[in-house]
Amino acid sequence: MSYRAPTQDIRFVIKELADLAGVLALPGFEEVSDDLVEAVLEENARFVEQAVAPLNHGADTSPALWEDGAVRTSPGFQKAFREFAAGGWQGLQHEPEWGGQGLPKLVGAPASENINAASLAFSLCPLLTDGVIEALITVGTKEQQDRFIPPLLEGRWTGTMNLTEPQAGSDLALVATKAVPQDDGSYRLSGQKIFITYGEHDLAENIVHLVLARTPDAPAGVKGISLFIVPKFLVKDDGSLGVRNDVWCASIEHKLGIHGSPTAVLLYGSGKGEAGEGAVGYLVGEENRGLEYMFIMMNAARYAVGLQGIAVSERALQHAEAYARERIQGRALEGSAGPVAIIHHPDVQRMLMTMRALTEGARAVAYVAASACDKARHHADSGVRKQHQAVYEYLVPIVKGFSTENAVEIASLGIQVHGGMGFIEETGAAQYYRDARILPIYEGTTAIQANDFVGRKTLRDGGAVAKALAKEMRATVAELEAARAGADRPGLDLIARRLGLAVDAYERAVDYVLANAKESLRAVFLGSVPYLMLSGTVLAGWQMARAALASCRHIESGSTDRYYAQKFATSVFYAAHILPRAEALSTALLEGQLATQYAGIAAGA
């Protein structure tokens, strides 16, 4: 089936929940109007629907191909990438001084979601390029910025992130790639990197690799890692391309999903290029601070991967809903003249509503996070900037972990809606599950996000952000209780009751983490993923409750748009079927002390 960008839900969320008006009023966005935002969203929808979405299934069945160090991308990718570059989509959120458009993250997030939904494999290339641009803007020298950022923004070059090695997965202390300083100030790199997304391809003139490596006298562990720019082709002083650097694609991986995205094994210093032995690289920032700098790129990528989870969820939902409307099977439960479309069967409705509720809840959390990021960067008051930065940093591991775990569940439900046909590749439902399965793994597994959420996002500030959000959620519960008194809407009562219980569970979990982290460290971290998923479940439920209130306001003002009735119904379903998960997740965390005693035995450790 064809993909349609969910523009109505996007508009609703950015305006009603994520405070688009407040973002556009910030310094730096004076030239960004509602009309411009609307034009961007409409053009983005047109581009992804017409140019990218039709390539998704073909890229799955005709993946990228490697031959003698070169990679040929899936059919249609080159043309689509040219259109992507010509449309200025790479520079949407980046500053005009570098050639970007300078739009808010709150506008860039929907555009990113839509292109990922159109084709996850295609969109991974610009995702990594964004991270390279962000890192160079933050810590690159003026010369590096002038040389590398403009062609990256123009789509003439693309970027990658090189962390992983065969012996160094999540444990980057084991990185062994070497970087030897040269007399001219450059370095020569040698080593092997694996799992490098778009590490080699035919979409652009040049590829700019950001590589973690060690200098000869670097200390052991993560404090001895430095960051280097290593271009595929060396760049002359006038910006033109020079000789091929000594970085070579030895192979690409054969993966469960995202077949159209070439995942490369890269050899540095294997004597393959024209620049002499050792890949020529340029230090970014100071030696031995590479991991710190790479986290700039990684944090941007983690948020973006969260959007990928929402994107695949939306695509799987649309696919399943279309099939459920077309598939005629079985009579209606209460009786019917003949077989009906399966969308009328209660459990199919439950599955579809679960898919929709989780997708829309995660979208709302991600866009609210984008709004916080914009305010953290642009608000005139430094105190307000600091407050919003803390909220954004708190939400990033939730956006990444919660959204991507949801994507696996949603894609699996999509297969279930199809029944046996979902297990057949030709229907297309299985591709979303295979593609989604990488999302809770790369750019930091869910456990890594959860560990960060416990350590840096809860313990470091004594739970200040978590408790502030709980206070805001309590205010929404009070608003729901006031609204139900003046409206004949039983759904508001249910939402208020379930959200109140969920916030109770959330606060118990936060208090437990704060009280037990020192004495029962293993117990707290055994429950870190349930704690993260609990937080995502409750925060998304909060946003869905706010959505219900906003929908009621539109309905009561006379709107007959079916969207608001559907949004209210989805919010009620979230409260009834999803929010009860919060209490179970909280219990899993709170019972951790005893469970820890048996966890190692049960796991066979």
Side-chain angles (χ1 to χ4, degrees):
M1 63 155 289
S2 57
Y3 164 74
R4 290 290 176 265
T7 50
Q8 188 166 20
D9 197 58
I10 287 170
R11 290 189 196 99
F12 177 88
V13 174
I14 65 175
K15 292 180 179 180
E16 300 285 357
L17 306 181
D19 190 24
L20 176 65
V23 168
L24 297 187
L26 294 170
F29 297 137
E30 293 85 357
E31 303 300 317
V32 184
S33 64
D34 279 326
D35 288 344
L36 177 59
V37 172
E38 182 64 24
V40 170
L41 293 178
E42 288 296 325
E43 179 58 21
N44 175 256
R46 183 206 64 76
F47 168 67
V48 301
E49 290 170 6
Q50 297 179 12
V52 182
L55 306 177
N56 193 49
H57 181 66
D60 188 55
T61 56
S62 299
L65 295 175
W66 176 92
E67 184 177 357
D68 193 25
V71 172
R72 184 172 73 251
T73 52
S74 298
F77 272 29
Q78 283 187 324
K79 181 176 183 294
F81 192 79
R82 287 196 298 271
E83 291 184 37
F84 172 84
W89 296 110
Q90 190 73 67
L92 201 66
Q93 299 175 63
H94 297 293
E95 296 301 322
E97 66 178 291
W98 303 112
Q101 298 177 45
L103 294 179
K105 191 178 187 74
L106 184 55
V107 179
S112 178
E113 180 197 324
N114 289 341
I115 195 170
N116 278 283
S119 174
L120 187 61
F122 176 86
S123 68
L124 278 162
C125 186
L127 185 156
L128 272 301
T129 302
D130 265 336
V132 172
I133 294 168
E134 186 80 12
L136 293 179
I137 286 175
T138 307
V139 295
T141 65
K142 182 66 165 59
E143 180 184 0
Q144 289 169 346
Q145 292 168 345
D146 291 341
R147 177 165 297 195
F148 293 102
I149 292 176
L152 287 168
L153 281 172
E154 293 164 9
R156 292 191 290 114
W157 301 354
T158 65
T160 73
M161 178 166 57
N162 287 232
L163 291 78
T164 309
E165 299 178 6
Q167 79 292 342
S170 299
D171 187 0
L172 294 176
L174 300 178
V175 163
T177 297
K178 297 178 181 179
V180 179
Q182 306 296 300
D183 292 340
D184 63 358
S186 67
Y187 291 73
R188 290 278 180 166
L189 277 71
S190 59
Q192 180 181 347
K193 296 289 183 178
I194 62 172
F195 300 162
I196 309 305
T197 301
Y198 277 90
E200 175 61 28
H201 60 80
D202 58 1
L203 301 182
E205 301 170 3
N206 202 7
I207 303 173
V208 179
H209 304 291
L210 285 188
V211 185
L212 291 182
R214 296 182 183 280
T215 55
D217 56 352
V222 294
K223 294 183 178 181
I225 298 174
S226 300
L227 182 63
F228 300 89
I229 300 169
V230 182
K232 176 181 175 180
F233 290 95
L234 298 184
V235 183
K236 299 177 181 178
D237 290 340
D238 63 1
S240 63
L241 298 184
V243 298
R244 175 70 184 265
N245 206 353
D246 190 6
V247 52
W248 194 256
C249 179
S251 64
I252 57 176
E253 306 292 354
H254 300 279
K255 308 186 297 293
L256 176 68
I258 52 171
H259 293 157
S261 170
T263 304
V265 174
L266 294 183
L267 303 179
Y268 291 86
S270 61
K272 292 280 190 178
E274 304 163 323
E277 189 166 347
V280 178
Y282 310 97
L283 181 68
V284 179
E286 301 175 14
E287 285 189 7
N288 304 324
R289 295 182 65 185
L291 193 59
E292 172 191 341
Y293 301 146
M294 186 63 87
F295 262 103
I296 298 167
M297 190 173 184
M298 288 172 67
N299 282 332
R302 285 174 175 178
Y303 178 86
V305 172
L307 289 177
Q308 288 186 325
I310 299 161
V312 176
S313 298
E314 176 67 34
R315 192 75 188 263
L317 169 63
Q318 290 190 20
H319 201 94
E321 283 185 336
Y323 181 82
R325 289 191 180 96
E326 296 169 359
R327 176 64 167 167
I328 307 299
Q329 192 83 173
R331 296 177 185 272
L333 189 66
E334 62 276 12
S336 60
V340 297
I342 63 172
I343 199 169
H344 295 288
H345 299 320
D347 197 60
V348 173
Q349 292 177 350
R350 177 193 64 82
M351 290 189 286
L352 291 173
M353 286 300 291
T354 299
M355 295 172 74
R356 177 174 292 281
L358 288 172
T359 301
E360 294 185 1
R363 175 180 294 127
V365 172
Y367 290 6
V368 167
S371 176
C373 182
D374 287 325
K375 292 171 182 177
R377 292 179 175 179
H378 292 272
H379 201 282
D381 187 308
S382 61
V384 175
R385 288 198 303 272
K386 184 178 180 180
Q387 176 186 358
H388 284 290
Q389 183 64 29
V391 171
Y392 176 68
E393 290 178 357
Y394 181 86
L395 291 177
V396 166
I398 295 174
V399 171
K400 203 284 186 182
F402 178 68
S403 302
T404 58
E405 292 286 349
N406 283 351
V408 176
E409 178 181 351
I410 290 164
S412 180
L413 284 171
I415 293 174
Q416 191 74 10
V417 169
H418 284 72
M421 295 303 295
F423 203 65
I424 306 301
E425 287 288 356
E426 284 78 3
T427 63
Q431 180 186 350
Y432 305 125
Y433 184 81
R434 290 187 286 100
D435 285 354
R437 196 59 197 85
I438 187 60
L439 301 179
I441 298 173
Y442 66 14
E443 304 308 334
T445 65
T446 305
I448 289 174
Q449 307 306 313
N451 291 349
D452 173 63
F453 189 60
V454 169
R456 294 187 179 90
K457 308 301 160 55
T458 302
L459 296 176
R460 181 175 289 180
D461 70 350
V465 173
K467 292 178 179 179
L469 290 174
K471 185 177 180 180
E472 290 189 54
M473 289 189 276
R474 293 288 185 198
T476 299
V477 172
E479 189 178 352
L480 286 161
E481 290 172 341
R484 75 183 181 186
D488 184 20
R489 292 192 180 277
L492 288 175
D493 181 69
L494 185 150
I495 296 170
R497 179 163 42 85
R498 293 310 318 182
L499 181 59
L501 291 170
V503 177
D504 289 344
Y506 174 74
E507 290 186 310
R508 287 196 300 270
V510 173
D511 289 342
Y512 176 85
V513 169
L514 294 173
N516 291 277
K518 288 186 178 180
E519 300 298 326
S520 304
L521 188 65
R522 290 192 68 86
V524 169
F525 279 88
L526 182 68
S528 63
V529 169
Y531 176 51
L532 177 97
M533 295 302 291
L534 158 67
S535 301
T537 298
V538 178
L539 290 170
W542 173 37
Q543 298 307 323
M544 294 303 287
R546 295 180 63 220
L549 288 166
S551 296
C552 283
R553 289 193 292 269
H554 284 281
I555 293 168
E556 289 163 7
S557 68
S559 175
T560 58
D561 190 333
R562 186 175 178 274
Y563 169 82
Y564 297 114
Q566 185 182 51
K567 191 70 174 180
F568 183 82
T570 305
S571 300
V572 172
F573 182 90
Y574 193 105
H577 278 253
I578 308 299
L579 274 178
R581 298 181 183 186
E583 293 175 69
L585 290 164
S586 180
T587 300
L589 173 65
L590 268 58
E591 299 294 348
Q593 285 180 307
L594 183 60
T596 302
Q597 298 177 27
Y598 297 97
I601 299 171

